[in-house]
Amino acid sequence: MTTPDVRPYGSWPSPISAAEVSAASPRLEGARFVGADEPEVWWGESVPEEGGRSAVRRRAASGAVVDVLPAPWSARSRVHEYGGGSWTADDDGVLYFVEKTDQRVWRLEPGGEPRPLTPEAGDVRFGGLTLQHGRLLAVREDHTRGTAVPTRDIVDVPRDGRADAARLSSLASGSDFVAHPALSPDGSRLAWIAWNHPHMAWDRAELRVGRLDGGDGPEWTTVAGGGSSPLQPEWVDDDLVYADDPTGRWNLWRLRFTADLHHEPIAAVDADTGGPLWVLGTRWFTLLADGRVAAVQTNGAEELVVLDTAGGRRALPVDAVTRLSIEDARGTRVLLSGAGSGGAGLWEVDVDDPAAAQLVVGGASPWGAAWMPRSRAITVPGPHGPVHAFDYPPTNPGVVGPDGERPPYVVFVHGGPTDHVGGAASGKIAYLTSRGIGVLDVNYGGSSGYGRAYRERLLGQWGVVDVDDVVAAARGLAEAGSADGARLAIAGGSAGGWTVLCALTNSDAFGAGISRYGVADLRRLAEDTHDFEARYLDGMVGPLPEAEELYVQRSPLSHLDRLRTPLLIEQGLDDRVVPPSQSEAVRDALAANGVAHAYLAFEGEGHGFRSATTLVRTMEAELAFLGQVFGFETPGVPPLELD
């Protein structure tokens, strides 16, 4: 056996380049079985080398990947700003998609050119496209009516190519937000999810059912929710199956339309089948043709299970363990997107033969398993209760660190803040761990995947609980001897960037910080942010104007005199969620305080980076920044100029 080299942590040579990570980590956006007899698999994929264009692709019989939606067309919805459900297709190979530039719905036939199905109408957006019983349903978001809150409804889009606004039938409205339309098999009834400001969908929502009578929309009845958060209704003959969390966990329920609306739990378990509805089109379960249910269940990590008609439960051994979404089903075959040991991918799984699961795209590390760190789920005590995290230690098959030296660590803080990370190493994590830098990915209080009580720990406490939890997790790792407590960094984007800035102004746990489009001023966020999150802070902090003093006290921008930790700031100049002015204010304060920092601004990038050039630049800059602050060389990556 070859004796491994001994090198300082952070300076290990690695074959994993930033460019390869960008190319090897597809951002998948939906998938479908297309075709009646021998269906193909189509999927949506962001293409970094094309500026983040959202393509729709298929794999030809030769094995080559073919673009169904060619450049420069880009299938991307901006409903709720986060989009989702930007395309679907029928078994004749006709693609229906939302074009990024104009937000209209278009139709593309095989061998033809795209034709619009919705008219030019100013800032009117569509998303959540779904074909049901021959009808194309969509969520419409209209910003043209001059109302404080854009109007949203579920519409039936004619598929014949006549872009006439008068022919768009509004099927359901009457709430600030709508999602997950489900048409009954006979076409007479519609079920959907609705919610209103100030709640988010995971706080309080309703499952509504209405009878379609050809008028301006159905007379509807709330059949579940109100004090809970139902999701994803699906019809089974005259019954509805849906997810809901009245018990504190999102479990599956069956609704029978008897005189008293009889709700029956389906295989209740201490895990979540459901999650935050950030993106339209996310699906946590599917009904199989024989009556069984394939479902994603989350309790920290995620797994795919099959529930039989007698209530039995069988876990399927698939590689994907986080970010799971059941995209489509055909017979016993399921399309599952998510991330596993080799990164993000799409799998075709036969629930009766899961060992024969086929990888459609992504999901395989080009560097081999030896370079991908194995996650270790850890739980540490925190001031508000237990804190859950995943530890990814330095991993390199040819190098070890010196005896007596402990590795530097980067604490990852996910966005949301209502979101979740699982125990799957990404290429971005391996980029660091292969160089001798550990990663601790924290599900702080407020994260999903551990039940409603854990999720609601953050209510009224954003900027307090999240900071306390990431500090507790980082210090716990250092006290256990796994990390160098003097070389702890913290990194996060959006809401995660807020926690970064709060942690650096309210604790001394970290020696470096990386903020990607991070929130710095709560009042400015409340004023500037888009409608989907316009009242999010009511729950996370408090309603305005009553809680204005608390907004000022919590905001890092109010305490920039305390900001004495080296910081790397990354910001998209087209960001509509967190405008550049917030990052620029932090940059100016660092300069005034004489603190080492760098500010990287990217033209054409919004809230979340998509361009290959940007992804490569940010990964290399972050590595160089850590090396300069913590005092190690970064072979192959030039130093980052600090101001």
Side-chain angles (χ1 to χ4, degrees):
M1 296 181 62
T2 303
T3 303
D5 289 342
V6 178
R7 300 202 183 190
Y9 287 108
S11 297
W12 297 357
S14 169
I16 303 176
S17 70
E20 288 172 326
V21 171
S22 172
S25 302
R27 183 169 181 165
L28 302 177
E29 301 178 356
R32 296 287 181 273
F33 287 112
V34 178
D37 298 327
E38 296 184 5
E40 297 179 327
V41 176
W42 291 16
W43 68 92
E45 181 178 349
S46 179
V47 188
E49 59 269 25
E50 296 181 25
R53 181 180 78 89
S54 296
V56 178
R57 296 176 155 175
R58 65 179 180 87
R59 192 173 298 279
S62 64
V65 173
V66 178
D67 275 357
V68 178
L69 183 65
W73 298 91
S74 182
R76 187 177 176 191
S77 166
R78 284 188 50 219
V79 171
H80 301 167
E81 294 297 342
Y82 297 102
S86 60
W87 68 276
T88 189
D90 63 25
D91 279 340
D92 293 327
V94 179
L95 174 70
Y96 304 90
F97 68 98
V98 178
E99 163 56 31
K100 175 186 174 182
T101 57
D102 61 15
Q103 292 298 291
R104 300 165 72 188
V105 180
W106 293 71
R107 171 188 174 113
L108 175 60
E109 298 180 10
E113 293 293 327
R115 292 186 296 159
L117 298 184
T118 56
E120 293 183 90
D123 193 1
V124 178
R125 310 171 186 178
F126 295 86
L129 300 186
T130 174
L131 278 167
Q132 299 182 35
H133 311 296
R135 300 170 74 171
L136 178 61
L137 306 186
V139 174
R140 175 172 60 181
E141 181 178 277
D142 189 344
H143 293 254
T144 67
R145 300 189 181 186
T147 55
V149 176
T151 59
R152 298 180 177 90
D153 58 353
I154 295 167
V155 295
D156 185 349
V157 180
R159 300 162 62 190
D160 58 9
R162 293 169 56 192
D164 183 353
R167 302 178 67 243
L168 288 174
S169 300
S170 180
L171 303 182
S173 57
S175 61
D176 292 336
F177 302 96
V178 291
H180 283 158
L183 189 65
S184 64
D186 64 1
S188 66
R189 287 178 291 177
L190 183 74
W192 71 97
I193 301 299
W195 70 99
N196 290 300
H197 286 307
H199 300 301
M200 303 299 285
W202 48 87
D203 296 326
R204 300 287 184 274
E206 297 179 5
L207 170 56
R208 296 178 177 179
V209 176
R211 187 169 293 279
L212 301 179
D213 57 8
D216 293 331
E219 293 186 5
W220 52 265
T221 302
T222 296
V223 297
S228 57
S229 306
L231 290 164
Q232 195 191 327
E234 305 277 355
W235 290 94
V236 182
D237 299 324
D238 290 330
D239 299 342
L240 272 180
V241 173
Y242 64 99
D244 200 1
D245 65 345
T247 64
R249 283 289 200 176
W250 271 301
N251 279 183
L252 295 181
W253 296 77
R254 187 176 187 124
L255 171 59
R256 301 185 186 278
F257 287 87
T258 57
D260 58 352
L261 294 178
H262 183 61
H263 301 261
E264 301 173 355
I266 300 175
V269 65
D270 185 24
D272 286 321
T273 293
L277 190 57
W278 285 105
V279 177
L280 293 174
T282 304
R283 302 176 72 223
W284 293 272
F285 68 93
T286 189
L287 308 176
L288 303 178
D290 58 8
R292 292 179 295 172
V293 179
V296 175
Q297 293 184 342
T298 308
N299 191 4
E302 301 170 37
E303 61 180 350
L304 179 66
V305 303
V306 174
L307 309 176
D308 61 37
T309 54
R313 174 185 180 277
R314 176 169 56 93
L316 302 182
V318 295
D319 183 57
V321 295
T322 189
R323 302 287 180 189
L324 303 190
S325 176
I326 298 179
E327 304 291 353
D328 200 4
R330 187 72 64 93
T332 60
R333 296 154 61 197
V334 170
L335 288 178
L336 179 74
S337 65
S341 60
L346 175 68
W347 289 262
E348 181 179 334
V349 182
D350 189 323
V351 299
D352 290 335
D353 187 15
Q358 298 180 12
L359 183 61
V360 179
V361 62
S365 163
W367 312 286
W371 292 94
M372 303 300 290
R374 293 182 178 273
S375 67
R376 179 174 66 97
I378 66 170
T379 301
V380 302
H384 309 281
V387 182
H388 304 291
F390 292 95
D391 173 25
Y392 300 90
T395 302
N396 185 311
V399 187
V400 296
D403 289 341
E405 181 183 344
R406 291 185 294 178
Y409 257 76
V410 182
V411 176
F412 277 12
V413 188
H414 66 68
T418 311
D419 204 349
H420 174 78
V421 292
S426 64
K428 188 167 186 177
I429 289 175
Y431 181 75
L432 295 173
T433 57
S434 64
R435 289 169 166 80
I437 304 168
V439 173
L440 184 66
D441 219 352
V442 183
N443 280 317
Y444 50 86
S447 301
S448 56
Y450 301 93
R452 179 178 278 271
Y454 195 82
R455 195 166 76 241
E456 291 186 341
R457 186 190 289 180
L458 202 59
L459 291 181
Q461 297 296 312
W462 194 32
V464 178
V465 165
D466 49 326
V467 171
D468 289 347
D469 283 359
V470 296
V471 169
R475 286 179 170 160
L477 196 71
E479 290 167 1
S482 299
D484 183 347
R487 294 191 293 172
L488 296 173
I490 182 171
S494 188
W498 153 269
T499 303
V500 168
L501 298 174
C502 287
L504 297 184
T505 54
N506 291 290
S507 82
D508 59 359
F510 302 101
I514 299 169
S515 172
R516 308 179 195 99
Y517 37 89
V519 177
D521 184 348
L522 288 177
R523 288 181 302 174
R524 199 174 300 181
L525 178 66
E527 293 169 359
D528 294 343
T529 197
H530 55 101
D531 181 66
F532 181 67
E533 296 180 75
R535 302 293 298 278
Y536 196 10
L537 298 184
D538 285 28
M540 294 292 101
V541 184
L544 287 171
E546 297 88 342
E548 183 169 5
E549 184 177 343
L550 189 57
Y551 277 57
V552 174
Q553 189 274 327
R554 292 267 182 90
S555 294
L557 209 59
S558 301
H559 308 289
L560 291 178
D561 57 310
R562 303 179 192 166
L563 196 52
R564 302 290 174 176
T565 305
L567 184 66
L568 171 61
I569 308 166
E570 300 166 345
Q571 176 69 45
L573 294 179
D574 292 346
D575 195 331
R576 299 169 191 248
V577 180
V578 178
S581 58
Q582 298 208 21
S583 290
E584 291 164 359
V586 174
R587 173 203 61 193
D588 295 344
L590 289 163
N593 294 346
V595 179
H597 67 280
Y599 176 67
L600 303 181
F602 299 98
E603 294 278 358
E605 293 285 7
H607 199 67
F609 300 149
R610 289 173 173 259
S611 164
T613 302
T614 304
L615 295 173
V616 170
R617 174 63 173 146
T618 54
M619 274 188 282
E620 292 185 343
E622 291 170 14
L623 176 62
F625 172 73
L626 294 172
Q628 286 176 253
V629 174
F630 289 150
F632 55 77
E633 300 292 329
T634 55
V637 174
L640 177 68
E641 183 178 350
L642 299 183
D643 206 348

